[in-house]
């Protein structure tokens, strides 16, 4: 497999991970909303909020990696 194909496949994998992360953030936000409406501020509520923040930070790192590798594709300098 050529190096450029390997990099493209890695980028596609990270894009899928990014999409899954966004879906998880949305699901956790829904859980936080339900817990907030029921005034249940227990461990699940705070763990969901912490999880959302951790996922947002991970998403930022994934995006930075994808953008950096995408800019390198036309030059083929890996």
């Amino acid at each position: 497999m050529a190096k450029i194909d390997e990099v493209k496949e890695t980028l596609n994998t990270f894009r899928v991970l990014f999409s899954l992360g966004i879906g998880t953030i949305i699901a956790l936000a829904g859980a936080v909303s339900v817990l907030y409406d029921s005034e249940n501020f227990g461990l699940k509520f705070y763990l969901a909020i912490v999880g959302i923040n951790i996922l947002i930070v991970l998403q930022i790192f994934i995006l930075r990696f994808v953008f950096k590798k995408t800019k390198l594709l036309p030059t083929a300098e890996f």
Side-chain angles (χ1 to χ4, degrees), residues 3-4 7 68-78:
K3 185 70 173 174
I4 193 162
V7 172
K68 192 181 302 183
K69 288 293 183 180
T70 303
K71 283 185 179 182
L72 289 178
L73 276 178
T75 61
E77 294 177 24
F78 303 104

Side-chain angles (χ1 to χ4, degrees), residues 9-30:
E9 191 64 33
T10 303
L11 285 173
N12 286 333
T13 302
F14 276 107
R15 287 183 182 122
V16 169
L17 285 175
F18 181 77
S19 298
L20 289 173
I22 294 296
T24 306
I25 289 171
I26 291 170
L28 285 173

